């Protein structure tokens, strides 16, 4: 056993000699996450607005999103593979579905939580429905929407790794290969990169939200 | 033949449920393991692994969450813990375990799943205990109840709906996490999906997906019913958007 070659958890040499592969998978991981969250946001917004305005649709939309969210990612990929094949599309659809559910719930909660008096005041000022939504309700719901966006992004980064089952898992691909060949440095490095990516994206959204909501900062300062 | 027909044939064939040689297989060291060609055996294995993981998590998270919530200390810690756990991919933990002394297979998967089952139980137990109305607590103390009595007779019953909700979330999530065990040489229903993908039998993959989804939804529904039954009627609320 003592003759076994060293198998360290962290090795700078591994990072140096495999940087091309690491950065390739990191790029795949990042673009997949951003694309999934962006598409999910684009679908979630109208869906949440519909769920709020059309009362009889609220329960079905929330129920369906809840059921879909309960289905494990591996099962969802398995359900998609026969139709969308192995590769990027399958992973992307799965990621969009999960991010969608988090976003719809948070946007809806945000819109529901807007102060009734504020809405009444805006209506009294003669705001049209659309202007009320854009100018009053969405800015007021923004903290809840941003919270949902952060959760969705962080979970998506983690979820991309499950894509290994269809051969497209970004950094998960490296974790899995490291597992198969018992290569500790490969596993540890890709796990660390994955966590860093989640942290960086989370911070970026938080900072962007702070820049977009100057009133929230002022309130805290006073 | 279409994929749906393949999937149906797989699910409707009796031998796929009971296995060619029964539900268990002998191992070389004289023990036994669940047969991997039986849907029934894999389902039992799946439920056993999930139950063990949630049980392990509940045994540690419930006392800790209740104690911290009663003392109203460590709220930031519980929130931070649940946030961090969201960013850690399950696959990361499984592969890290496999390359470490913990190894791989069912035991490692149970430990990993327990780690992910821990935060929802802890957070809900903490919030449930800590958010009990201060007036209620004061009234109980004013009547001469000791701190322990306040905790067990006042706070705990009021916190119970949230604690039960945490257990439900944790259980559903665990049943959904266990399929990943198949990637690191563990058992459970994920095996069907993984084997189907490896052998390019997409009908089996589809059938596996349906089975896993059905089991998860069934467990979630059962836990939901249990949660409702255990919640005292006055505390049952129907809110559209959960907090």
């Amino acid at each position: 056993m003592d003759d076994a070659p060293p198998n360290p958890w962290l090795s700078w040499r591994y990072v140096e000699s495999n940087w091309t592969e690491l950065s390739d998978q990191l790029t795949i991981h990042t673009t997949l996450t951003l694309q999934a969250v962006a598409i999910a946001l684009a679908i979630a917004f109208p869906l949440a607005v519909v769920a709020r305005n059309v009362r009889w649709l609220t329960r079905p939309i929330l129920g369906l999103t809840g059921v879909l969210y309960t289905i494990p990612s591996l099962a969802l990929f398995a359900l998609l593979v026969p139709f969308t094949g192995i590769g990027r599309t399958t992973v992307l659809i799965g990621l969009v579905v999960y991010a969608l559910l988090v976003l719809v719930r948070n946007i809806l909660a945000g819109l529901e939580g807007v102060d009734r008096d504020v809405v009444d005041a805006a209506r009294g000022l003669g705001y049209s429905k659309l202007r009320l939504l854009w100018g009053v309700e969405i800015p007021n719901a923004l903290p809840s929407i941003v919270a949902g966006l952060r959760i969705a992004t962080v979970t998506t980064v983690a979820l991309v790794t499950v894509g290994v089952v269809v051969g497209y898992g970004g950094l998960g691909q490296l974790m899995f290969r490291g597992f198969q060949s018992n290569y500790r440095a490969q596993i540890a490095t890709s796990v660390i990169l994955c966590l860093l990516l989640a942290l960086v994206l989370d911070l970026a959204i938080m900072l962007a939200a702070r820049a977009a909501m100057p009133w929230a900062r002022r309130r805290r300062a006073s | 033949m279409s994929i749906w027909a393949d999937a149906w044939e797989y699910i409707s064939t009796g031998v796929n449920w009971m296995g060619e040689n029964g539900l268990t297989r002998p191992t070389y060291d004289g023990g036994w393991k669940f047969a991997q060609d039986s849907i029934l055996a894999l389902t039992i294995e799946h439920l056993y692994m999930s139950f063990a993981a949630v049980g392990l998590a509940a045994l540690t998270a419930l006392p800790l969450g209740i104690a911290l919530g009663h003392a109203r200390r460590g709220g930031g810690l519980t929130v931070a813990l649940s946030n961090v756990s969201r960013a850690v991919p399950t696959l990361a933990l499984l592969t890290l375990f496999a390359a470490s002394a913990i190894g791989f297979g069912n035991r490692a998967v149970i430990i990993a799943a327990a780690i992910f089952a821990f935060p929802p139980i802890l957070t809900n137990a903490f919030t449930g205990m800590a958010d009990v109305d201060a007036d209620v607590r004061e009234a109980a103390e004013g009547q001469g109840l000791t701190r322990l009595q306040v905790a067990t007779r006042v706070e705990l019953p009021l916190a119970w709906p949230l604690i039960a909700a945490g257990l439900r979330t944790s259980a559903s999530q665990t049943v959904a996490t266990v399929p990943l065990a198949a990637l690191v040489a563990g058992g459970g229903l994920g095996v069907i999906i993984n084997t189907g993908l490896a052998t390019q039998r997409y009908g089996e993959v589809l059938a596996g997906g349906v089975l896993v989804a059905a089991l998860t939804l069934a467990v979630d529904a059962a836990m939901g019913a249990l949660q409702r039954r255990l919640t005292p009627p006055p505390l049952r609320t129907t809110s559209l958007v959960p907090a």
Side-chain angles (χ1 to χ4, degrees):
Chain A
M1 274 305 269
D2 289 339
D3 297 335
N7 190 5
W9 286 103
L10 296 170
S11 145
W12 189 245
R13 262 193 59 200
Y14 165 77
V15 178
E16 268 181 342
S17 47
N18 292 280
W19 180 244
T20 349
E21 192 184 31
L22 280 170
S23 64
D24 280 354
Q25 296 295 357
L26 185 62
T27 313
I28 290 176
H29 209 116
T30 315
T31 49
L32 206 50
T33 304
L34 294 179
Q35 203 182 349
V37 174
I39 295 175
L41 194 61
I43 304 175
F45 238 114
L47 211 56
V49 172
V50 167
R52 203 231 359 196
N53 288 342
V54 189
R55 278 289 154 200
W56 61 270
L57 276 175
T58 314
R59 268 178 181 280
I61 289 179
L62 278 178
L64 186 71
T65 52
V67 167
L68 279 174
Y69 196 69
T70 319
I71 293 174
S73 45
L74 189 69
L76 190 65
F77 289 152
L79 295 176
L80 289 169
V81 161
F83 309 102
T84 53
I86 294 277
R88 193 166 204 273
T89 323
T90 306
V91 183
L92 187 62
I93 296 175
L95 294 176
V96 168
V97 168
Y98 286 110
L100 189 67
L101 314 171
V102 178
L103 288 172
V104 167
R105 273 169 190 254
N106 270 274
I107 297 173
L108 198 57
L111 291 176
E112 296 272 335
V114 176
D115 196 340
R116 282 295 105 198
D117 294 345
V118 176
V119 176
D120 279 346
R123 209 174 278 150
L125 285 168
Y127 272 52
S128 69
K129 264 201 144 173
L130 199 65
R131 222 182 129 206
L132 185 71
L133 185 69
W134 270 118
V136 178
E137 290 177 313
I138 289 179
N140 270 293
L142 218 47
S144 170
I145 297 173
V146 168
L149 200 59
R150 288 175 65 181
I151 296 176
T153 309
V154 170
T155 40
T156 303
V157 172
L159 212 53
V160 171
T161 58
V162 181
V164 287
V165 291
V166 291
Y168 207 89
L171 293 164
Q173 217 65 31
L174 299 179
M175 289 176 204
F176 193 58
R177 282 226 321 271
F179 159 69
Q180 285 174 322
S181 52
N182 194 24
Y183 192 174
R184 287 178 174 169
Q186 192 169 32
I187 300 175
T189 311
S190 45
V191 169
I192 291 170
L193 282 178
C194 205
L195 292 177
L196 277 179
L197 180 61
L199 185 71
V200 167
L201 290 179
D202 192 43
L203 277 177
I205 297 174
M206 198 182 81
L207 291 177
R210 275 179 60 146
M213 292 187 286
W215 62 87
R217 250 176 303 157
R218 224 175 296 137
R219 196 180 306 152
R220 201 166 299 157
S222 62
Chain B
M1 209 175 7
S2 83
I3 289 162
W4 286 106
D6 283 346
W8 174 246
E9 197 193 305
Y10 177 77
I11 282 196
S12 59
T13 307
V15 71
N16 288 336
W17 283 85
M18 301 311 294
E20 294 209 24
N21 298 301
L23 297 181
T24 56
R25 276 300 134 73
T27 50
Y28 294 109
D29 55 7
W32 60 276
K33 59 178 185 176
F34 286 102
Q36 299 225 322
D37 61 352
S38 151
I39 299 173
L40 192 62
L42 289 174
T43 308
I44 297 170
E45 190 176 26
H46 198 122
L47 288 173
Y48 146 71
M49 287 163 76
S50 309
F51 189 79
V54 176
L56 211 59
L59 274 180
T60 45
L62 276 182
L64 190 65
I66 289 172
L68 286 176
H70 174 69
R72 279 160 204 82
R73 270 161 213 267
L77 182 83
T78 60
V79 172
L81 199 65
S82 67
N83 284 346
V84 170
S85 78
R86 206 175 275 136
V88 181
T90 315
L91 189 67
L93 217 50
L94 289 174
T95 51
L96 282 175
F97 279 3
S100 71
I102 300 172
F104 50 87
N106 285 355
R107 201 170 55 101
V109 173
I110 291 173
I111 297 174
I115 290 176
F116 285 105
F118 187 82
I121 302 178
L122 180 75
T123 315
N124 277 36
F126 176 86
T127 316
M129 293 291 284
D131 281 3
V132 169
D133 197 335
D135 294 344
V136 175
R137 230 178 319 125
E138 243 170 67
E141 273 165 18
Q143 288 184 331
L145 268 69
T146 63
R147 292 195 53 151
L148 188 69
Q149 285 173 325
V150 172
T152 53
R153 295 194 200 167
V154 179
E155 289 177 329
L156 207 53
L158 287 170
W160 182 241
L162 259 184
I163 295 177
L167 285 170
R168 176 193 179 180
T169 310
S170 169
S172 312
Q173 186 191 306
T174 306
V175 177
T177 307
V178 167
L180 291 177
L183 292 174
V184 291
L189 282 174
V191 169
I192 300 173
I193 297 174
N194 212 30
T195 314
L197 281 168
T199 52
Q200 300 199 2
R201 289 190 205 130
Y202 292 121
E204 267 182 55
V205 174
L206 187 62
V210 171
L211 287 168
V212 172
L215 183 71
T216 331
L217 292 174
V219 168
D220 190 53
M223 289 299 290
L226 192 69
Q227 175 194 349
R228 225 183 133 68
R229 268 189 81 91
L230 291 174
T231 306
L235 293 175
R236 284 176 199 164
T237 51
T238 46
S239 95
L240 277 180
V241 182

